Amino acid sequence: MKPRFNIPRTIGSLLLSAAFLLITSAAFAAAPKYVFYFIGDGMGPVQRQAAQYFHKIETGNPDARLLMNSFPISALVTTHSANTLITDSAAGGTALATGFKTTNDMVSKLPDGTDIKTIAEAARDAGYAVGIATTTRITHATPAAFSAHNVHRDNENEIAVDQLNSGFDYLAGGGYRNFVAKNNAEGLKSKRKDDRNLVAEFKAKGYTTFIGEKNRDAFRAYKPKKGDKVLAPVSSSAMDMEIDRRNSSETENAMPSLAELTAKGIEVLAAQEKPFFMMVEGGRIDYAAHCNDAAGTIWDTLALDEAIAKAYEFYKKHPEETLIVVAADHETGGMAMGISLDSKGYFLKLNELFKVKASAEDVLMYVYPQMVKDYPDVAQRQKAYLGYIADKFGLTDLNARERKIIESAMAVEDKNQGLPEEKQTTYGYAYTPTMIAVSHVVSERARISWTSYVHTASVITLSAEGKGAEQFAGFKDNTDLPRIMAKLMNAKLSTFERTPSAALLGETTGPSKKYSEIPYGETENVLGKN
């Protein structure tokens, strides 16, 4: 018997298509429409907690909390890479961006060199506008891990080309030197080895560009509209440390804060009238912790928290549509709150850090070497240096032990002047003896201690707020985070099989292996920055 009603095949297909559209629309409606991914480079649990204690003193409010520490969802996250239990920022950023482990120094590639899709690229392909902001170079390891693919993080000129081709809507931070042409008419510093003018190529793709120090106020005043894309590297290399930015006397074209970069990014992305994804990196927490600069570490952590506040303001307007995740790629420096030479050291003195008015990394590092040139007489030089650290670092009343530490460092640095570079005494990333001596004396006064000039294998702390935030709770690995995020967003990451890190069984492999075999204490000078 024939059926009473015979629905034409074309109508049936239309009904199926309509049903599919309803299902996919419902799925998209269930996804967080606005996703913020904050990464504190080098920000371990102690960095967060020290900044919170400092913030209580700063505000005079014992109940004050960092915003990131007030979110309802929290987790502890492991950070090892594919070849070692102590990751670098490239492998750590890759894990946070792609959901896969890789070898230290590699950027969003598997150890065999295969490209892996990042959560930012997956968001773009799923219909989200995408933004990246950082206080270090846009081409630096963490932002590169979200926007590029390269066998080595140091290939920043190639990473800049990948970012040109990313199609992302907003790229802001430092590092114009990798985008401007080698012999540019503006006389801007360039690190490019070719004649490509990537700024012109960005403009040809429809980007509004704000390049260099002279365009910072124009960047602040810019009012984005639908369809706009922005490239804004506002410094040659990394942006200023927050402690230097706050103590700067600049008024015209002053260095923007990470909060300003975040707020402008929200304006640009929201103007697109579509869902958006934004990764924001507090990149200079890591720099400060590398050189054991307690005040610098805390101030840059506070700067990240102020950037999070900009996203939180947006969240309060869209609470049912917004997800905020705050994480880190690793801990740096082995920072600890507490140091004592006897049994009486049950206290901190964080007030000591309010006396510090300059960073170790960007300012103090260069003071004594310049004084070597300015003061040929050793006694005059050392007197001038003691005056400088009294003024800028609060060391007005050195005790006998502290004075011996500083004077010994000056003597070593004076001796360095007559030695070839490879024979000079330095620490960490070629940090000067005077710089490290001052950093350690200031830290000791605050009763903060450090175990390293590099990264550690400590877990990092995650916190989250908003739509889907509960999915991030618990004890996680860094590769879990983008996978959870992608699932919530209905975005597609790469589907390669994940393999465990060889380091989990105690064996360091790859480029780090030769260093793991050097006895502790036998160091070598290393130039460069993580």
Side-chain angles (χ1 to χ4, degrees):
M1 180 181 295
K2 291 183 180 180
R4 183 177 296 181
F5 301 105
N6 186 17
I7 301 175
R9 186 173 298 175
T10 53
I11 296 176
S13 298
L14 287 171
L15 289 172
L16 285 171
S17 298
F20 176 77
L21 286 172
L22 285 171
I23 292 169
T24 53
S25 296
F28 196 76
K33 189 174 181 181
Y34 310 110
V35 178
F36 293 93
Y37 200 176
F38 287 91
I39 297 173
D41 197 317
M43 186 179 70
V46 175
Q47 280 83 352
R48 286 176 69 149
Q49 194 59 30
Q52 178 155 296
Y53 284 143
F54 185 89
H55 180 57
K56 291 175 186 289
I57 301 169
E58 177 195 19
T59 59
N61 177 9
D63 295 323
R65 300 175 70 185
L66 297 187
L67 180 58
M68 70 175 87
N69 288 349
S70 68
F71 287 173
I73 301 301
S74 59
L76 295 177
V77 182
T78 51
T79 63
H80 56 275
S81 69
N83 67 304
T84 172
L85 292 181
I86 299 181
T87 189
D88 81 321
S89 293
T94 295
L96 291 172
T98 69
F100 289 89
K101 300 289 186 184
T102 195
T103 304
N104 283 12
D105 290 329
M106 297 189 79
V107 176
S108 290
K109 284 180 175 284
L110 295 176
D112 67 2
T114 303
D115 286 358
I116 31 178
K117 182 176 280 192
T118 76
I119 185 64
E121 293 168 335
R124 175 201 62 199
D125 294 346
Y128 286 70
V130 176
I132 288 177
T134 179
T135 48
T136 186
R137 298 185 296 279
I138 297 170
T139 52
H140 203 253
T142 303
F146 282 79
S147 57
H149 306 270
N150 205 284
V151 294
H152 203 287
R153 55 182 291 175
D154 289 348
N155 296 330
E156 293 189 49
N157 289 333
E158 296 172 13
I159 287 167
V161 174
D162 277 3
Q163 292 172 333
L164 168 69
N165 296 324
S166 69
F168 292 175
D169 302 83
Y170 180 74
L171 294 160
Y176 64 69
R177 67 190 196 182
N178 299 108
F179 295 90
V180 298
K182 182 169 57 176
N183 298 306
N184 61 86
E186 296 80 11
L188 296 172
K189 181 178 180 180
S190 175
K191 284 277 188 174
R192 296 206 64 81
K193 305 300 182 185
D194 54 31
D195 292 321
R196 289 189 71 172
N197 182 348
L198 293 191
V199 175
E201 293 185 46
F202 269 95
K203 287 181 178 179
K205 289 181 176 247
Y207 283 78
T208 300
T209 63
F210 301 94
I211 311 299
E213 294 78 2
K214 294 181 179 179
N215 287 294
R216 293 169 182 168
D217 284 343
F219 171 76
R220 285 186 173 94
Y222 168 67
K223 300 297 181 185
K225 60 185 183 299
K226 187 175 181 179
D228 284 3
K229 292 186 176 186
V230 172
L231 172 70
V234 294
S235 59
S236 171
S237 185
M239 294 172 62
D240 287 351
M241 301 285 292
E242 181 66 7
I243 192 171
D244 297 327
R245 193 193 69 80
R246 290 185 182 229
N247 286 288
S248 172
S249 60
E250 285 183 316
T251 54
E252 185 178 351
N253 284 314
M255 183 70 75
S257 66
L258 184 59
E260 289 180 278
L261 296 189
T262 303
K264 189 61 67 177
I266 292 171
E267 289 181 35
V268 171
L269 299 177
Q272 309 314 310
E273 299 177 3
K274 61 196 290 191
F276 67 72
F277 169 90
M278 188 176 187
M279 190 286 288
V280 179
E281 182 200 23
R284 304 224 64 191
I285 301 168
D286 175 71
Y287 283 64
H290 268 294
C291 57
N292 299 172
D293 177 0
T297 299
I298 286 172
W299 280 113
D300 265 276
T301 303
L302 293 175
L304 177 64
D305 203 57
E306 291 178 1
I308 295 167
K310 297 298 181 182
Y312 192 69
E313 290 172 10
F314 184 90
Y315 159 79
K316 287 189 290 186
K317 298 174 184 176
H318 308 275
E320 301 302 319
E321 301 175 297
T322 305
L323 169 65
I324 304 174
V325 176
V326 182
D329 51 357
H330 52 74
E331 194 277 341
T332 300
M335 187 182 191
M337 287 181 287
I339 184 172
S340 180
L341 297 176
D342 56 33
S343 62
K344 307 298 182 185
Y346 292 90
F347 60 89
L348 292 173
K349 295 177 68 177
L350 297 182
N351 281 323
E352 293 289 331
L353 302 180
F354 286 98
K355 300 174 183 178
V356 180
K357 304 301 179 187
S359 71
E361 169 80 19
D362 287 359
V363 178
L364 184 60
M365 173 86 162
Y366 305 99
V367 172
Y368 199 83
Q370 183 60 44
M371 286 184 172
V372 169
K373 300 175 182 177
D374 295 342
Y375 299 92
D377 181 77
V378 173
Q380 284 187 325
R381 179 192 313 159
Q382 295 191 357
K383 181 180 178 181
Y385 190 70
L386 290 171
Y388 178 85
I389 62 176
D391 179 45
K392 295 296 185 181
F393 289 83
L395 300 180
T396 57
D397 53 347
L398 293 171
N399 61 36
R401 178 180 175 275
E402 292 171 337
R403 179 175 285 274
K404 183 178 180 181
I405 291 171
I406 302 297
E407 289 179 344
S408 296
M410 289 190 290
V412 171
E413 200 154 339
D414 287 336
K415 184 179 178 181
N416 275 351
Q417 307 311 309
L419 298 174
E421 189 175 82
E422 66 274 9
K423 297 292 185 180
Q424 294 179 13
T425 297
T426 60
Y427 304 90
Y429 286 87
Y431 299 139
T432 60
T434 52
M435 169 195 182
I436 293 303
V438 171
S439 290
H440 284 177
V441 168
V442 171
S443 292
E444 288 170 4
R445 285 189 167 196
R447 296 306 192 267
I448 285 173
S449 57
W450 305 86
T451 67
S452 179
Y453 297 114
V454 292
H455 304 168
T456 71
S458 169
V459 293
I460 61 91
T461 312
L462 174 145
S463 53
E465 172 74 274
K467 191 172 184 66
E470 67 282 353
Q471 299 296 316
F472 293 88
F475 197 89
K476 305 290 186 186
D477 183 67
N478 52 11
T479 57
D480 295 329
L481 309 189
R483 291 170 180 270
I484 296 169
M485 206 171 282
K487 186 174 181 181
L488 288 169
M489 297 165 66
N490 296 308
K492 303 298 183 185
L493 294 173
S494 297
T495 58
F496 303 111
E497 182 180 356
R498 285 195 285 183
T499 56
S501 167
L504 291 173
L505 297 179
E507 185 67 27
T508 298
T509 62
S512 299
K513 183 175 177 61
K514 64 178 180 180
Y515 299 110
S516 73
E517 296 172 344
I518 299 173
Y520 179 76
E522 297 184 15
T523 60
E524 61 179 47
N525 294 334
V526 180
L527 296 176
K529 299 293 182 292
N530 268 18

